Amino acid sequence: MAGNDHPELKLRLTLRGGEWLGPGKADLLEGIAETGSISAAGKRMKMSYKRAWGLVEVLNGMFREPLVTSSRGGAGHGGAELTETGHAVLRLYRQMQANAVSATEAEIAELMQLTDIPDRK
Amino acid sequence: MAGNDHPELKLRLTLRGGEWLGPGKADLLEGIAETGSISAAGKRMKMSYKRAWGLVEVLNGMFREPLVTSSRGGAGHGGAELTETGHAVLRLYRQMQANAVSATEAEIAELMQLTDIPDRK
DNA sequence: CGCCGTTATCTCCGTCAGGACATAACGGAA
DNA sequence: TTCCGTTATGTCCTGACGGAGATAACGGCG
């Protein structure tokens, strides 16, 4: 019951100068996939709609095909969802994350031994 | 010309909330090790001395033992160098980076295939 | 002693990412 | 036609980050 977040490893993949994929955009994609809405996904991450929408715009511009499609009005009063490419990107990022964590476990453990977290008793 | 940096993977290891080790601090440590000076290392990265010094202070507070020792005046007119712990942290981070890159090569390649970089003929 | 280059601090300022808020468009449903 | 919740897009503002520059301390050396 340490309550420790466990040291966390975050990845940022820079595709081109100024364009990158990191934890924030990945979480947003996941949120959109789960909520079906940009605003709901943004709210869940406690970011403004404006920012969430901006990130989606950037994401859509980074790849050949858009990662998110959205619609206004209509039956469900509008919404958004991931395209096939969107799902693929999210899955690949998560896979990268998992692979990276397991490939660096040893070094992370060593680094943690050098930190102050003394296990307090 | 292509001039492409090749996609680059950056790691950020969060030890505790608000305390993390990333590419910036690692490069700074490396710079201090090579130049023997906080200001020179900072200048090399085009950051102000104030910022470089602040990062060093944070780094020293993140681990049980300081990573950087510094001295004013004296024979060499002052300077800084990495402690044994400092060298260890830098080495471990570089190792993490290398391991993570090779562990995610496949996914990175797949992601790049989805990007716009079309080789422009 | 006075010189020198670095560390160590401080204060002032410009920049800018991002939040808060306002507005409009959309389009099926009631 | 009105209602609704979401997308889409703008303006205004604040707060934090970090640079620029000044100042002082340090401590061997000449």
Side-chain angles (χ1 to χ4, degrees):
Chain A
M1 156 72 66
N4 260 347
D5 288 346
H6 281 187
E8 195 184 359
L9 184 67
K10 294 181 178 176
L11 307 187
R12 169 182 284 194
L13 178 64
T14 300
L15 305 179
R16 315 242 270 281
E19 293 192 344
W20 68 87
L21 181 62
K25 297 202 188 81
D27 288 349
L28 183 62
L29 284 178
E30 195 169 276
I32 292 173
E34 293 179 4
T35 66
S37 152
I38 294 178
S39 73
K43 194 169 299 179
R44 208 168 72 163
M45 298 177 63
K46 288 171 183 169
M47 65 173 65
S48 64
Y49 171 78
K50 182 190 174 187
R51 172 153 174 69
W53 179 84
L55 291 179
V56 168
E57 199 184 34
V58 170
L59 279 166
N60 280 344
M62 282 170 58
F63 296 88
R64 246 197 318 272
E65 298 172 14
L67 307 192
V68 177
T69 56
S70 54
S71 61
R72 298 190 283 191
H77 300 286
E81 57 178 6
L82 297 199
T83 62
E84 206 51 47
T85 303
H87 281 291
V89 167
L90 177 57
R91 180 180 52 78
L92 286 167
Y93 181 84
R94 292 300 185 216
Q95 188 63 52
M96 281 181 58
Q97 193 170 34
N99 290 355
V101 166
S102 70
T104 56
E105 271 176 353
E107 287 79 15
I108 291 179
E110 274 194 69
L111 278 168
M112 292 310 292
Q113 288 180 0
L114 299 174
T115 67
D116 264 325
I117 311 182
D119 250 345
R120 272 287 172 225
K121 178 192 33 122
Chain B
M1 267 319 99
N4 257 346
D5 289 346
H6 281 187
E8 194 184 359
L9 184 67
K10 293 182 179 177
L11 307 187
R12 170 182 283 192
L13 177 64
T14 300
L15 305 178
R16 319 241 269 281
E19 293 192 343
W20 69 86
L21 181 62
K25 296 201 189 81
D27 288 348
L28 184 62
L29 284 178
E30 195 168 275
I32 292 173
E34 293 179 3
T35 65
S37 153
I38 294 177
S39 74
K43 194 168 302 181
R44 209 168 71 162
M45 298 177 64
K46 289 173 182 167
M47 65 174 63
S48 64
Y49 171 78
K50 181 190 174 186
R51 173 151 173 70
W53 180 84
L55 291 179
V56 168
E57 198 182 35
V58 170
L59 279 167
N60 281 343
M62 283 171 56
F63 296 88
R64 245 197 320 273
E65 299 172 14
L67 307 192
V68 177
T69 55
S70 54
S71 61
R72 297 190 282 190
H77 299 287
E81 59 178 4
L82 297 199
T83 61
E84 205 51 47
T85 303
H87 280 292
V89 167
L90 177 57
R91 180 181 53 77
L92 285 167
Y93 181 84
R94 293 301 184 214
Q95 188 64 53
M96 282 182 57
Q97 194 171 32
N99 290 355
V101 166
S102 69
T104 56
E105 272 176 355
E107 287 79 15
I108 292 180
E110 273 195 69
L111 279 168
M112 292 309 292
Q113 288 181 359
L114 300 174
T115 67
D116 263 326
I117 312 186
D119 249 344
R120 270 288 172 222
K121 195 211 356 248

